[in-house]
Amino acid sequence: MSHDLTLYGVGTSRTMRAHWMLLELGLDYESLPIQSRSGETLTDEFRRLNPRHKIPVLKHGNFVLAESAAIVQYLSETFAHSTEMYVPRDAQARAEMNESCYFIMTELDAGSLYVVRRHEGLAAIYGEAPTAVASAKTYFLHNLEAMAPRIDRAPYLFGELLSAADILLTTCLDWAVVSGIALPKQAVDYQLRIARRPAYQAALKRNFPQNRG
Ligand SMILES: N[C@@H](CCC(=O)N[C@@H](CS)C(=O)NCC(=O)O)C(=O)O
């Protein structure tokens, strides 16, 4: 059944999240493979969709949503069956999931990895800042320790079923590895468990077509 889903964006950890969730849920969707810093996020047409001119953006019919964490949560709440994915339905369970999701997005993604990205990979744009990069890498590992009790709760952060929080955390762990951060063994074991998922592998191919064959 077609749900009129379109995803804008490929090539980054943030776009990977949306592709992965769509594929986990077995949803057909159109992928518009626009890329960051290509000028494609700055067209009038794209800025009407997302005035913050960032990918990923999801269109579901006439509903338009940006922010990778919001997209994966929306998709799981809209399309997941309770047997295939952990989707909290009451306020406290959802708040507990949000606590992890907000923590991952603020402390690991924006507060650590994106600092490294801006001042290492994108230093030509944002300037070199080796001290900030080194301390962001340390800060990442320090904050990852706080996730240890959940990461140990194998196989997934909230127990037996994958959740939106797993997609956010795994994409941060993969990004950390690419950024030269050596992960603790328990995080590597968690990554290896996740890597067995066919949808994760399919999403890597769809999101990183140039890099990963
Ligand atoms: N907090 C946002 C961040 C999105 C973001 O920064 N996207 C970057 C690529 S990773 C982007 O689209 N940059 C615009 C451009 O460079 O053209 C999310 O998680 O979706």
Side-chain angles (χ1 to χ4, degrees):
M1 174 183 175
S2 167
H3 293 286
D4 194 8
L5 290 159
T6 305
L7 180 64
Y8 295 73
V10 293
T12 81
S13 303
R14 278 81 174 254
T15 57
M16 170 71 186
R17 295 165 182 158
H19 285 281
W20 181 7
M21 182 59 94
L22 285 157
L23 291 165
E24 280 291 346
L25 297 171
L27 295 165
D28 282 333
Y29 65 101
E30 183 179 9
S31 172
L32 297 182
I34 68 169
Q35 304 203 30
S36 52
R37 292 177 314 286
S38 62
E40 293 164 303
T41 59
L42 298 175
T43 63
D44 290 343
E45 186 193 351
F46 188 79
R47 287 162 87 112
R48 271 193 293 278
L49 283 179
N50 182 7
R52 297 182 297 283
H53 48 85
K54 305 270 192 210
I55 48 173
V57 169
L58 177 78
K59 260 181 80 187
H60 178 200
N62 293 324
F63 180 60
V64 178
L65 190 64
E67 289 298 324
S68 56
I71 290 170
V72 294
Q73 287 194 316
Y74 171 74
L75 287 170
S76 65
E77 288 186 9
T78 306
F79 295 109
H81 298 291
S82 57
T83 50
E84 63 184 356
M85 189 165 291
Y86 175 66
V87 184
R89 299 290 179 188
D90 70 78
Q92 285 194 354
R94 188 179 292 130
E96 197 182 25
M97 162 85 81
N98 283 343
E99 181 185 46
S100 287
C101 290
Y102 297 159
F103 177 78
I104 294 164
M105 290 303 292
T106 55
E107 305 302 337
L108 302 183
D109 176 313
S112 307
L113 295 168
Y114 197 53
V115 174
V116 176
R117 177 85 181 123
R118 282 169 82 100
H119 298 297
E120 221 167 43
L122 301 178
I125 304 171
Y126 295 106
E128 288 187 8
T131 309
V133 167
S135 81
K137 290 181 179 181
T138 307
Y139 188 76
F140 177 88
L141 289 170
H142 176 68
N143 277 282
L144 187 59
E145 274 172 32
M147 295 297 296
R150 286 217 172 272
I151 293 175
D152 278 344
R153 201 176 294 184
Y156 303 112
L157 296 178
F158 285 84
E160 291 301 316
L161 294 174
L162 190 84
S163 69
D166 290 290
I167 287 183
L168 299 180
L169 181 63
T170 302
T171 49
C172 283
L173 295 176
D174 291 351
W175 186 1
V177 171
V178 172
S179 305
I181 299 173
L183 298 177
K185 181 179 182 309
Q186 106 194 119
V188 174
D189 291 346
Y190 169 82
Q191 270 185 311
L192 291 172
R193 289 198 292 277
I194 298 264
R196 289 198 285 264
R197 296 187 73 86
Y200 169 80
Q201 293 296 335
L204 286 178
K205 289 200 180 81
R206 203 169 286 193
N207 185 59
F208 296 110
Q210 289 103 339
N211 305 351
R212 311 203 190 196

